[in-house]
Amino acid sequence: MRKIGLFLLTAVIVTGCHSDIYYQDRAAQRARKFLLECNGDLSSEDRLNISDINYIRFNAPVLLYSPVLGDDSRSSRDGKLESELLQICVTWLIPGREKLYMVFGVSDARMDYWFPNRVLLRTYDPKVPALTGVLNNARNFVRNNFYSDMEPDEINHVRFGYPYLLRTDIAINYNTNGTDNADEVAASRKAAGKKIQYSLVWELGKRNLVVTMLADKGVKNAGIVFGGFLTDEELKMKTLAVVLTPEHARGELPDSEK
């Protein structure tokens, strides 16, 4: 899930109209019952023992959620379908277990019509990947500036796929608003000279989506300075080094970049 939010369910006394927490608690009860009923279908390695079952019975889950179809705030003026539905996983991280036990379902945020669909088991890695912050910023930048120029499959690739991290040499406009004087432009160039230029690159078939940043070593304090589409040839001419491939972008930076 690209955007992850979480909150703990708490017990409440409800009178009159039901609150959101009432419906979330009711959904958690459905998820709990569904998970325990499916326990016999899990592999012997993943099957819950008595201690695990008691933990699920008596402990509140966490809710992990993300939009089903992109950002809910997006306008339909671009002709792309929008939705207020959320993918919501009622999730238990059981002590001693390496995997998250997740019951998947789809509903609005209120969860009054959330019903369990299937059980998912996912390995939980408490380490935060090195690119998490800059990747989120880059995806938001792309969403705000390029979605109207992209096909749905390209949008999904950026939202859910991992890019290359390159060291690049892309020309930067230091006077983007056209109002800076020569001294201000010179100062911007001097400040940029102390930074490293990194680019996140998503391969989109016939073109590449590039988001370029100036940052300190380790991709720290990164600021976006360019975004656009480049051909393979154009990108090759601007690439100085490959730092991370998409297969390794979930992990840590190599020692040479730290």
Side-chain angles (χ1 to χ4, degrees):
M1 296 182 178
R2 180 180 61 96
K3 295 180 179 178
I4 297 295
L6 55 87
F7 48 93
L8 295 178
L9 300 177
T10 56
V12 295
I13 299 175
V14 180
T15 58
C17 295
H18 293 316
S19 68
D20 289 358
I21 294 180
Y22 168 84
Y23 291 114
Q24 291 158 7
D25 182 66
R26 190 173 64 172
Q29 293 174 28
R30 292 176 183 146
R32 182 181 284 112
K33 183 174 183 291
F34 186 81
L35 174 56
L36 296 180
E37 288 177 348
C38 290
N39 185 41
D41 298 326
L42 301 177
S43 68
S44 57
E45 177 186 352
D46 295 324
R47 198 164 297 146
L48 300 165
N49 57 38
I50 294 298
S51 176
D52 299 331
I53 291 172
N54 286 335
Y55 182 87
I56 291 171
R57 280 176 173 164
F58 301 115
N59 286 271
V62 167
L63 303 182
L64 305 181
Y65 64 92
S66 71
V68 170
L69 294 174
D71 192 311
D72 292 343
S73 65
R74 285 183 55 214
S75 167
S76 60
R77 288 177 297 177
D78 59 6
K80 296 184 175 67
L81 185 64
E82 56 183 3
S83 171
E84 295 182 355
L85 291 179
L86 299 173
Q87 305 172 70
I88 304 177
C89 287
V90 182
T91 304
W92 283 269
L93 176 55
I94 303 170
R97 291 278 187 174
E98 294 183 356
K99 295 179 180 179
L100 296 171
Y101 283 71
M102 311 167 70
V103 182
F104 171 85
V106 175
S107 76
D108 59 17
R110 189 177 177 87
M111 293 186 73
D112 44 345
Y113 294 108
W114 184 95
F115 290 93
N117 178 275
R118 60 185 180 274
V119 174
L120 303 174
L121 273 64
R122 295 290 185 268
T123 301
Y124 172 67
D125 186 356
K127 295 187 297 182
V128 177
L131 289 185
T132 296
V134 294
L135 187 54
N136 288 340
N137 290 340
R139 283 173 170 155
N140 287 334
F141 176 79
V142 171
R143 183 188 66 210
N144 293 333
N145 292 279
F146 296 109
Y147 267 17
S148 61
D149 301 319
M150 299 171 65
E151 297 298 323
D153 60 331
E154 294 178 327
I155 292 173
N156 284 332
H157 180 57
V158 173
R159 287 182 59 215
F160 302 113
Y162 284 81
Y164 284 88
L165 176 65
L166 309 178
R167 281 202 186 210
T168 52
D169 183 21
I170 293 174
I172 298 171
N173 181 4
Y174 293 98
N175 189 9
T176 54
N177 56 18
T179 61
D180 294 342
N181 59 41
D183 290 339
E184 290 172 329
V185 172
S188 296
R189 288 183 182 276
K190 183 177 180 180
K194 299 177 182 179
K195 300 281 187 176
I196 300 170
Q197 186 182 121
Y198 292 100
S199 290
L200 296 175
V201 178
W202 284 270
E203 293 182 331
L204 302 179
K206 296 181 179 180
R207 57 181 180 171
N208 302 282
L209 178 59
V210 180
V211 177
T212 300
M213 307 161 289
L214 293 177
D216 297 326
K217 194 169 184 179
V219 204
K220 296 176 181 178
N221 305 313
I224 296 174
V225 294
F226 170 82
F229 299 97
L230 298 181
T231 65
D232 289 346
E233 188 62 29
E234 289 170 332
L235 181 60
K236 182 178 179 181
M237 294 174 59
K238 302 297 182 180
T239 299
L240 301 178
V242 177
V243 178
L244 289 174
T245 65
E247 291 75 19
H248 299 96
R250 292 181 179 85
E252 297 184 359
L253 292 170
D255 290 340
S256 61
E257 296 294 329
K258 293 180 179 178

PDB file of all heavy atoms in Angstrom, residues 5-9 59-64 88-93 101:
ATOM      1  N   GLY A   5      -1.811   4.516   6.885  1.00  0.00           N
ATOM      2  CA  GLY A   5      -2.217   5.224   8.085  1.00  0.00           C
ATOM      3  C   GLY A   5      -2.582   4.191   9.116  1.00  0.00           C
ATOM      4  O   GLY A   5      -2.929   3.056   8.801  1.00  0.00           O
ATOM      5  N   LEU A   6      -2.507   4.512  10.399  1.00  0.00           N
ATOM      6  CA  LEU A   6      -2.850   3.533  11.396  1.00  0.00           C
ATOM      7  C   LEU A   6      -3.449   4.204  12.612  1.00  0.00           C
ATOM      8  O   LEU A   6      -3.105   5.315  12.961  1.00  0.00           O
ATOM      9  CB  LEU A   6      -1.658   2.664  11.779  1.00  0.00           C
ATOM     10  CG  LEU A   6      -0.369   3.329  12.257  1.00  0.00           C
ATOM     11  CD1 LEU A   6      -0.424   3.569  13.754  1.00  0.00           C
ATOM     12  CD2 LEU A   6       0.806   2.453  11.888  1.00  0.00           C
ATOM     13  N   PHE A   7      -4.377   3.500  13.264  1.00  0.00           N
ATOM     14  CA  PHE A   7      -4.932   3.988  14.509  1.00  0.00           C
ATOM     15  C   PHE A   7      -5.472   2.801  15.273  1.00  0.00           C
ATOM     16  O   PHE A   7      -5.874   1.792  14.701  1.00  0.00           O
ATOM     17  CB  PHE A   7      -6.020   5.040  14.294  1.00  0.00           C
ATOM     18  CG  PHE A   7      -7.054   4.671  13.270  1.00  0.00           C
ATOM     19  CD1 PHE A   7      -8.221   4.036  13.642  1.00  0.00           C
ATOM     20  CD2 PHE A   7      -6.846   4.973  11.928  1.00  0.00           C
ATOM     21  CE1 PHE A   7      -9.167   3.714  12.704  1.00  0.00           C
ATOM     22  CE2 PHE A   7      -7.798   4.641  10.982  1.00  0.00           C
ATOM     23  CZ  PHE A   7      -8.965   4.009  11.372  1.00  0.00           C
ATOM     24  N   LEU A   8      -5.461   2.873  16.603  1.00  0.00           N
ATOM     25  CA  LEU A   8      -5.907   1.782  17.443  1.00  0.00           C
ATOM     26  C   LEU A   8      -7.393   1.919  17.726  1.00  0.00           C
ATOM     27  O   LEU A   8      -7.906   3.019  17.923  1.00  0.00           O
ATOM     28  CB  LEU A   8      -5.137   1.779  18.766  1.00  0.00           C
ATOM     29  CG  LEU A   8      -3.643   1.495  18.653  1.00  0.00           C
ATOM     30  CD1 LEU A   8      -3.016   1.571  20.031  1.00  0.00           C
ATOM     31  CD2 LEU A   8      -3.398   0.110  18.058  1.00  0.00           C
ATOM     32  N   LEU A   9      -8.083   0.789  17.737  1.00  0.00           N
ATOM     33  CA  LEU A   9      -9.482   0.775  18.099  1.00  0.00           C
ATOM     34  C   LEU A   9      -9.604   0.769  19.616  1.00  0.00           C
ATOM     35  O   LEU A   9      -8.835   0.128  20.306  1.00  0.00           O
ATOM     36  CB  LEU A   9     -10.157  -0.483  17.534  1.00  0.00           C
ATOM     37  CG  LEU A   9     -10.125  -0.630  16.016  1.00  0.00           C
ATOM     38  CD1 LEU A   9     -10.765  -1.959  15.632  1.00  0.00           C
ATOM     39  CD2 LEU A   9     -10.861   0.512  15.362  1.00  0.00           C
ATOM     40  N   ASN A  59      -6.829  -8.470  22.117  1.00  0.00           N
ATOM     41  CA  ASN A  59      -6.061  -7.268  21.818  1.00  0.00           C
ATOM     42  C   ASN A  59      -6.627  -6.556  20.596  1.00  0.00           C
ATOM     43  O   ASN A  59      -7.037  -7.198  19.616  1.00  0.00           O
ATOM     44  CB  ASN A  59      -4.584  -7.609  21.571  1.00  0.00           C
ATOM     45  CG  ASN A  59      -3.863  -7.954  22.855  1.00  0.00           C
ATOM     46  OD1 ASN A  59      -3.327  -7.088  23.537  1.00  0.00           O
ATOM     47  ND2 ASN A  59      -3.836  -9.243  23.193  1.00  0.00           N
ATOM     48  N   ALA A  60      -6.639  -5.231  20.683  1.00  0.00           N
ATOM     49  CA  ALA A  60      -7.154  -4.415  19.576  1.00  0.00           C
ATOM     50  C   ALA A  60      -6.196  -4.471  18.393  1.00  0.00           C
ATOM     51  O   ALA A  60      -4.977  -4.453  18.578  1.00  0.00           O
ATOM     52  CB  ALA A  60      -7.336  -2.972  20.023  1.00  0.00           C
ATOM     53  N   PRO A  61      -6.733  -4.541  17.179  1.00  0.00           N
ATOM     54  CA  PRO A  61      -5.879  -4.529  15.986  1.00  0.00           C
ATOM     55  C   PRO A  61      -5.498  -3.109  15.592  1.00  0.00           C
ATOM     56  O   PRO A  61      -5.971  -2.128  16.165  1.00  0.00           O
ATOM     57  CB  PRO A  61      -6.770  -5.158  14.919  1.00  0.00           C
ATOM     58  CG  PRO A  61      -8.144  -4.708  15.322  1.00  0.00           C
ATOM     59  CD  PRO A  61      -8.155  -4.692  16.830  1.00  0.00           C
ATOM     60  N   VAL A  62      -4.657  -3.027  14.591  1.00  0.00           N
ATOM     61  CA  VAL A  62      -4.320  -1.761  13.929  1.00  0.00           C
ATOM     62  C   VAL A  62      -4.977  -1.784  12.555  1.00  0.00           C
ATOM     63  O   VAL A  62      -5.108  -2.844  11.940  1.00  0.00           O
ATOM     64  CB  VAL A  62      -2.784  -1.617  13.802  1.00  0.00           C
ATOM     65  CG1 VAL A  62      -2.416  -0.483  12.856  1.00  0.00           C
ATOM     66  CG2 VAL A  62      -2.158  -1.394  15.169  1.00  0.00           C
ATOM     67  N   LEU A  63      -5.417  -0.616  12.083  1.00  0.00           N
ATOM     68  CA  LEU A  63      -5.994  -0.519  10.750  1.00  0.00           C
ATOM     69  C   LEU A  63      -4.977   0.083   9.792  1.00  0.00           C
ATOM     70  O   LEU A  63      -4.459   1.174  10.037  1.00  0.00           O
ATOM     71  CB  LEU A  63      -7.261   0.360  10.771  1.00  0.00           C
ATOM     72  CG  LEU A  63      -8.383  -0.068  11.725  1.00  0.00           C
ATOM     73  CD1 LEU A  63      -9.571   0.868  11.582  1.00  0.00           C
ATOM     74  CD2 LEU A  63      -8.790  -1.513  11.463  1.00  0.00           C
ATOM     75  N   LEU A  64      -4.687  -0.631   8.720  1.00  0.00           N
ATOM     76  CA  LEU A  64      -3.808  -0.137   7.666  1.00  0.00           C
ATOM     77  C   LEU A  64      -4.682   0.152   6.456  1.00  0.00           C
ATOM     78  O   LEU A  64      -5.490  -0.680   6.053  1.00  0.00           O
ATOM     79  CB  LEU A  64      -2.740  -1.176   7.300  1.00  0.00           C
ATOM     80  CG  LEU A  64      -1.877  -1.702   8.449  1.00  0.00           C
ATOM     81  CD1 LEU A  64      -0.859  -2.697   7.917  1.00  0.00           C
ATOM     82  CD2 LEU A  64      -1.169  -0.561   9.160  1.00  0.00           C
ATOM     83  N   ILE A  88      -8.756  -1.485   3.338  1.00  0.00           N
ATOM     84  CA  ILE A  88      -8.506  -1.458   4.781  1.00  0.00           C
ATOM     85  C   ILE A  88      -8.163  -2.864   5.254  1.00  0.00           C
ATOM     86  O   ILE A  88      -8.926  -3.808   5.039  1.00  0.00           O
ATOM     87  CB  ILE A  88      -9.716  -0.927   5.562  1.00  0.00           C
ATOM     88  CG1 ILE A  88     -10.106   0.469   5.053  1.00  0.00           C
ATOM     89  CG2 ILE A  88      -9.412  -0.885   7.058  1.00  0.00           C
ATOM     90  CD1 ILE A  88     -11.344   1.047   5.716  1.00  0.00           C
ATOM     91  N   CYS A  89      -7.011  -2.989   5.888  1.00  0.00           N
ATOM     92  CA  CYS A  89      -6.589  -4.260   6.469  1.00  0.00           C
ATOM     93  C   CYS A  89      -6.639  -4.152   7.990  1.00  0.00           C
ATOM     94  O   CYS A  89      -5.961  -3.310   8.582  1.00  0.00           O
ATOM     95  CB  CYS A  89      -5.175  -4.627   6.026  1.00  0.00           C
ATOM     96  SG  CYS A  89      -5.065  -5.158   4.304  1.00  0.00           S
ATOM     97  N   VAL A  90      -7.470  -4.984   8.607  1.00  0.00           N
ATOM     98  CA  VAL A  90      -7.491  -5.096  10.061  1.00  0.00           C
ATOM     99  C   VAL A  90      -6.340  -6.021  10.434  1.00  0.00           C
ATOM    100  O   VAL A  90      -6.310  -7.185  10.007  1.00  0.00           O
ATOM    101  CB  VAL A  90      -8.845  -5.646  10.549  1.00  0.00           C
ATOM    102  CG1 VAL A  90      -8.869  -5.724  12.067  1.00  0.00           C
ATOM    103  CG2 VAL A  90      -9.986  -4.777  10.026  1.00  0.00           C
ATOM    104  N   THR A  91      -5.400  -5.509  11.209  1.00  0.00           N
ATOM    105  CA  THR A  91      -4.075  -6.134  11.295  1.00  0.00           C
ATOM    106  C   THR A  91      -3.651  -6.379  12.737  1.00  0.00           C
ATOM    107  O   THR A  91      -3.770  -5.494  13.593  1.00  0.00           O
ATOM    108  CB  THR A  91      -3.037  -5.236  10.604  1.00  0.00           C
ATOM    109  OG1 THR A  91      -3.444  -5.001   9.253  1.00  0.00           O
ATOM    110  CG2 THR A  91      -1.657  -5.874  10.621  1.00  0.00           C
ATOM    111  N   TRP A  92      -3.100  -7.576  12.965  1.00  0.00           N
ATOM    112  CA  TRP A  92      -2.499  -7.901  14.266  1.00  0.00           C
ATOM    113  C   TRP A  92      -1.015  -8.212  14.060  1.00  0.00           C
ATOM    114  O   TRP A  92      -0.656  -9.017  13.200  1.00  0.00           O
ATOM    115  CB  TRP A  92      -3.168  -9.114  14.897  1.00  0.00           C
ATOM    116  CG  TRP A  92      -4.501  -8.836  15.509  1.00  0.00           C
ATOM    117  CD1 TRP A  92      -4.760  -8.476  16.797  1.00  0.00           C
ATOM    118  CD2 TRP A  92      -5.785  -8.927  14.861  1.00  0.00           C
ATOM    119  NE1 TRP A  92      -6.114  -8.310  16.988  1.00  0.00           N
ATOM    120  CE2 TRP A  92      -6.773  -8.584  15.821  1.00  0.00           C
ATOM    121  CE3 TRP A  92      -6.190  -9.243  13.565  1.00  0.00           C
ATOM    122  CZ2 TRP A  92      -8.123  -8.569  15.520  1.00  0.00           C
ATOM    123  CZ3 TRP A  92      -7.540  -9.221  13.264  1.00  0.00           C
ATOM    124  CH2 TRP A  92      -8.494  -8.889  14.235  1.00  0.00           C
ATOM    125  N   LEU A  93      -0.163  -7.557  14.836  1.00  0.00           N
ATOM    126  CA  LEU A  93       1.262  -7.906  14.898  1.00  0.00           C
ATOM    127  C   LEU A  93       1.435  -8.692  16.187  1.00  0.00           C
ATOM    128  O   LEU A  93       1.519  -8.131  17.287  1.00  0.00           O
ATOM    129  CB  LEU A  93       2.135  -6.651  14.892  1.00  0.00           C
ATOM    130  CG  LEU A  93       3.654  -6.870  15.044  1.00  0.00           C
ATOM    131  CD1 LEU A  93       4.165  -7.827  13.967  1.00  0.00           C
ATOM    132  CD2 LEU A  93       4.401  -5.551  14.965  1.00  0.00           C
ATOM    133  N   TYR A 101      -0.555 -10.380  10.496  1.00  0.00           N
ATOM    134  CA  TYR A 101      -1.767 -11.117  10.141  1.00  0.00           C
ATOM    135  C   TYR A 101      -2.835 -10.084   9.808  1.00  0.00           C
ATOM    136  O   TYR A 101      -3.331  -9.364  10.672  1.00  0.00           O
ATOM    137  CB  TYR A 101      -2.193 -12.022  11.288  1.00  0.00           C
ATOM    138  CG  TYR A 101      -1.337 -13.272  11.378  1.00  0.00           C
ATOM    139  CD1 TYR A 101      -0.016 -13.204  11.792  1.00  0.00           C
ATOM    140  CD2 TYR A 101      -1.828 -14.514  10.994  1.00  0.00           C
ATOM    141  CE1 TYR A 101       0.786 -14.331  11.849  1.00  0.00           C
ATOM    142  CE2 TYR A 101      -1.038 -15.660  11.045  1.00  0.00           C
ATOM    143  CZ  TYR A 101       0.272 -15.558  11.472  1.00  0.00           C
ATOM    144  OH  TYR A 101       1.061 -16.687  11.511  1.00  0.00           O
TER     145      TYR A 101
END
